[in-house]
Amino acid sequence: YRLPQSLINALSIYHGIRSASAFQRIDRLIEKGVFPITGANHLKRLFRSALKMRIEAHLFYREEKEIIY
């Protein structure tokens, strides 16, 4: 998830967006016409899946260890 997150961050900086979360930034990028809604929904689904895997790994290892085997 790091690469998509970095790309969203870079696009947000370029377009002057200062929202806190990746989901908010994606919504602002839609409003500015950078992403179509369909593409933005795919990105949000990617972020949800990655966040779910991170949380599951943290709960499994009982620490913020992000290595998943």
Side-chain angles (χ1 to χ4, degrees), residues 4 13 16-17 25 28 32 36-37 43-44 46 54-55 60 65 69:
I13 290 168
I17 297 168
R25 285 187 224 121
R28 300 294 92 72
K32 290 189 172 263
I37 292 173
L43 280 171
K44 287 180 181 181
L46 170 77
R54 284 185 69 203
I55 290 170
F60 178 81
K65 188 175 184 178
Y69 298 100

Side-chain angles (χ1 to χ4, degrees), residues 12-67:
S12 296
I13 290 168
Y14 180 80
H15 289 282
I17 297 168
R18 297 178 180 243
S19 298
S21 75
F23 294 99
Q24 291 173 341
R25 285 187 224 121
I26 291 170
D27 288 338
R28 300 294 92 72
L29 289 166
I30 292 170
E31 291 170 5
K32 290 189 172 263
V34 177
F35 290 127
I37 292 173
T38 306
N41 287 335
H42 290 303
L43 280 171
K44 287 180 181 181
R45 190 171 52 194
L46 170 77
F47 277 102
R48 274 190 221 94
S49 296
L51 291 173
K52 181 182 175 193
M53 288 186 349
R54 284 185 69 203
I55 290 170
E56 288 173 354
H58 293 178
L59 292 172
F60 178 81
Y61 291 112
R62 296 182 184 192
E63 61 180 314
E64 289 190 27
K65 188 175 184 178
E66 296 189 14
I67 298 172

